[in-house]
Amino acid sequence: MFPVLAQDAQVRFEDVTALMGLDVTGSWVDIDNDGWVDLAPRWRNVEGTRFVATDAGGGGEYWADLDNDGHMDFFGYAGGAVSFGEADGSHSGFQLPERPHGVSDGGVLLDFDNDGLVDVWWAGYENWPVAGAYPDGLYWNQGSRRFALPEVAPGPARPTRGVTACDFDNDHDVDVYGSNYRLQPNQLWINDGDGSFTESAGAYGALGGGGHSIGSAWGDIDNDGLFDIFAGNFAHPGQPQSRFLRNLGPENGYRFEDRGPCGVRYQESYASPALGDYDNDGDLDLFFTTVYGGDQVVLYRNDGDWRFTEVTGEAGLGDIRETYHGSWGDYDNDGDLDLTTKGRLYRSSGATGHWLKVRLVGNARSDLPEPGAVNRAAIGAQVRIQLGTRTLTRQVESATGRGNMNEQTLHFGLGSRLDPVDLKITWPNGLLQLVDGIEVDQMLTIGYRMKAPVLRSIAAKPFGFWFDTEPNRTYSIEGSGDLKAWEVLEQFKSTKRSHQFSDPRQEKFQQQYYRAKVVE
């Protein structure tokens, strides 16, 4: 249980599509960087009061700043389109090669090699019944708006639909989870850190039941600081149903425990899940779409201890059917999550808990690879808030479920918490940044290697040791390799603290170190 966050709120959703000037919705993304999340590619948010149509075209589903120029770009999985945003609001781009267009059903944007450039993972799926499954393609962003297939590409081919990504094992490179159809087991691609991936779903207990998976979602379901998986399964009678997979942490090699449905009732045509804290009580709830006319989308409240309760009807979301579309975003910046599904916008009201929204910005300012840089959209960054024995955990991601995208500004429900909170930010390259004493009920923007309130620490890969330094300073790291011990520069040696390393190989690393210096 999580008593500090306990709330008893009646949250309801109202269809405000017409009221906001919309006729259909899209992906949540702040296209113009004005702090108000838009519905891309067509609709611009005017300070939460209405949406106005733009001239942007295309079918963009997954968004990031692919060339780090400050303008959001997109990848459309259906046709393999890569489209770059320009300063005047227009888009221009091209189609990726090496796959028959129209046979993909998903993908994800990620920086797999931590060079500050966001890459494209394009799922293969199938051209049924003409041909079998196509292999996934990993398209390496080489800068200057060029992409190439690396020497080691994902395989074997399975009918993959939704794709999501997360550094679930905390080794500072992002891993990929593919949801496979046709009763094929799901795939967990472990990033080996050298540009290659190893398919390891069986070894990690993450097969997802071997059902007709259409979409899955990463999220810290039990607030233990570790990312779990919800594997969504379309299931004909008697076939494997959807299930929650619990991350067992480093002491168990980050393997997953199959917790089963956890109260999610059976419907045949479940499709795309999205996790978000809709009631601001501090834990992630589940929205799940269906695609058969006799079934309906569902909203499940997370009651803790891996128990979920359906609240679809009382939340005003009854009788929504036949859609793959579902994702969370706070379009009016009031601190509670609104919902898009079936091309409609649903505004939330009634959540009484406190909240915090965190927008992260990477330091990459070039469209050429910069090892150690963080991509401008901060894709892959993680934020944790410690509250007693529980850790609220969120990540910046480009995809959830099948073809959907939640808002990339991170949302934390804090329930009855009134006191300031501390943020622990883990950037994709492994740098740890602590930001202390943040007041609740606000949206905060934090940049990598930029001034931030009470920034006071850095960390070494991979164990995360850290030292206290002077408040209100920003530090960068010098060094490379798999280092376990470090020291500060001469002028900061008075702040150095010794650490007792539990790793038995500690003697090997006594002369290796990271160096930290102030970034002016």
Side-chain angles (χ1 to χ4, degrees), residues 257-332:
E257 174 192 26
D258 191 332
R259 303 285 303 198
C262 296
V264 176
R265 66 182 172 90
Y266 172 75
Q267 288 190 100
E268 187 172 13
S269 67
Y270 281 128
S272 187
L275 295 169
D277 183 5
Y278 82 93
D279 53 1
N280 282 353
D281 69 348
D283 47 31
L284 291 172
D285 310 295
L286 171 68
F287 180 78
F288 203 6
T289 74
T290 56
V291 292
Y292 279 0
D295 298 331
Q296 68 172 41
V297 306
V298 292
L299 176 65
Y300 276 85
R301 184 185 65 229
N302 186 345
D303 292 328
D305 198 26
W306 297 93
R307 297 191 303 267
F308 285 77
T309 299
E310 184 173 0
V311 294
T312 313
E314 65 192 70
L317 296 173
D319 205 34
I320 302 173
R321 306 174 187 274
E322 298 175 89
T323 182
Y324 291 99
H325 179 209
S327 57
W328 298 103
D330 180 15
Y331 82 90
D332 50 4

Side-chain angles (χ1 to χ4, degrees), residues 25 55 59 77 117 163 203 205 268 285 311 328-329 358 397 411 451 471:
T25 63
D55 294 331
Y77 64 83
L117 294 172
V163 184
E268 187 172 13
D285 310 295
V311 294
W328 298 103
V358 180
E397 60 185 1
H411 170 268
K451 294 285 184 179

Side-chain angles (χ1 to χ4, degrees), residues 448-505:
Y448 178 75
R449 297 185 182 176
M450 294 166 58
K451 294 285 184 179
V454 200
L455 172 63
R456 66 176 178 86
S457 65
I458 67 172
K461 175 183 177 178
F463 293 120
F465 300 122
W466 59 277
F467 61 89
D468 291 330
T469 56
E470 298 180 37
N472 298 308
R473 287 188 182 270
T474 301
Y475 294 83
S476 68
I477 281 182
E478 291 182 340
S480 62
D482 192 16
L483 310 179
K484 309 299 190 295
W486 38 262
E487 62 185 18
V488 295
L489 287 179
E490 187 68 31
Q491 62 264 41
F492 294 119
K493 282 193 175 179
S494 62
T495 67
K496 180 182 176 182
R497 295 186 180 184
S498 61
H499 293 278
Q500 298 297 316
F501 297 112
S502 59
D503 192 287
R505 303 166 295 169

Side-chain angles (χ1 to χ4, degrees), residues 99-100 102-107 121-127 132-137 157-161 163:
R99 172 167 289 106
V103 300
S104 179
D105 209 33
W121 186 294
W122 192 11
Y125 196 37
E126 62 184 13
N127 193 15
Y134 291 89
D136 289 7
R158 288 181 184 163
T160 306
R161 304 194 73 173
V163 184

Side-chain angles (χ1 to χ4, degrees), residues 274-483:
L275 295 169
D277 183 5
Y278 82 93
D279 53 1
N280 282 353
D281 69 348
D283 47 31
L284 291 172
D285 310 295
L286 171 68
F287 180 78
F288 203 6
T289 74
T290 56
V291 292
Y292 279 0
D295 298 331
Q296 68 172 41
V297 306
V298 292
L299 176 65
Y300 276 85
R301 184 185 65 229
N302 186 345
D303 292 328
D305 198 26
W306 297 93
R307 297 191 303 267
F308 285 77
T309 299
E310 184 173 0
V311 294
T312 313
E314 65 192 70
L317 296 173
D319 205 34
I320 302 173
R321 306 174 187 274
E322 298 175 89
T323 182
Y324 291 99
H325 179 209
S327 57
W328 298 103
D330 180 15
Y331 82 90
D332 50 4
N333 283 341
D334 65 352
D336 53 31
L337 290 177
D338 308 301
L339 177 71
T340 59
T341 185
K342 202 172 184 180
R344 312 293 291 175
L345 173 61
Y346 291 85
R347 181 173 61 199
S348 171
S349 63
T352 59
H354 296 284
W355 53 274
L356 183 69
K357 292 172 63 176
V358 180
R359 178 175 178 261
L360 299 179
V361 181
N363 69 321
R365 295 295 184 270
S366 169
D367 68 346
L368 297 176
E370 299 177 83
V374 173
N375 68 88
R376 187 76 171 263
I379 299 293
Q382 301 177 1
V383 177
R384 291 172 173 83
I385 297 177
Q386 189 72 37
L387 295 177
T389 61
R390 300 299 181 104
T391 305
L392 279 61
T393 311
R394 306 288 186 266
Q395 71 160 343
V396 183
E397 60 185 1
S398 71
T400 189
R402 179 269 195 191
N404 293 296
M405 179 173 151
N406 296 321
E407 182 181 357
Q408 290 175 337
T409 295
L410 303 179
H411 170 268
F412 294 85
L414 300 174
S416 58
R417 174 82 178 204
L418 281 169
D419 296 332
V421 297
D422 301 336
L423 308 183
K424 178 180 177 181
I425 305 168
T426 304
W427 297 96
N429 60 8
L431 185 75
L432 176 67
Q433 180 173 326
L434 300 188
V435 185
D436 296 352
I438 300 303
E439 299 291 337
V440 303
D441 298 335
Q442 65 163 315
M443 184 168 74
L444 180 70
T445 298
I446 300 175
Y448 178 75
R449 297 185 182 176
M450 294 166 58
K451 294 285 184 179
V454 200
L455 172 63
R456 66 176 178 86
S457 65
I458 67 172
K461 175 183 177 178
F463 293 120
F465 300 122
W466 59 277
F467 61 89
D468 291 330
T469 56
E470 298 180 37
N472 298 308
R473 287 188 182 270
T474 301
Y475 294 83
S476 68
I477 281 182
E478 291 182 340
S480 62
D482 192 16
L483 310 179

